[in-house]
Amino acid sequence: MDILAYVCIGATFLFAGSRLIMYAYRRKRVPSEQQLEQLLLDVVNQKQGG
């Protein structure tokens, strides 16, 4: 029964580690403030035009 507990703990750590790595990877790709402002302006102008 002890080996099952270790497997569950190991799987939990692998899952949490993979989530942290994915979060860190996505965080690096966050657009800059200028890019966000430009995107918002493009969306607003597109809605007003069409």
Side-chain angles (χ1 to χ4, degrees), residues 12-42:
T12 302
F13 278 114
L14 285 174
F15 178 76
S18 67
R19 289 295 179 168
L20 286 172
I21 290 170
M22 290 302 293
Y23 174 75
Y25 177 72
R26 285 190 200 134
R27 190 169 179 192
K28 289 180 185 176
R29 297 187 315 156
V30 172
S32 69
E33 189 173 328
Q34 289 177 336
Q35 290 173 328
L36 285 174
E37 287 178 8
Q38 186 62 44
L39 179 63
L40 287 173
L41 283 173
D42 291 344

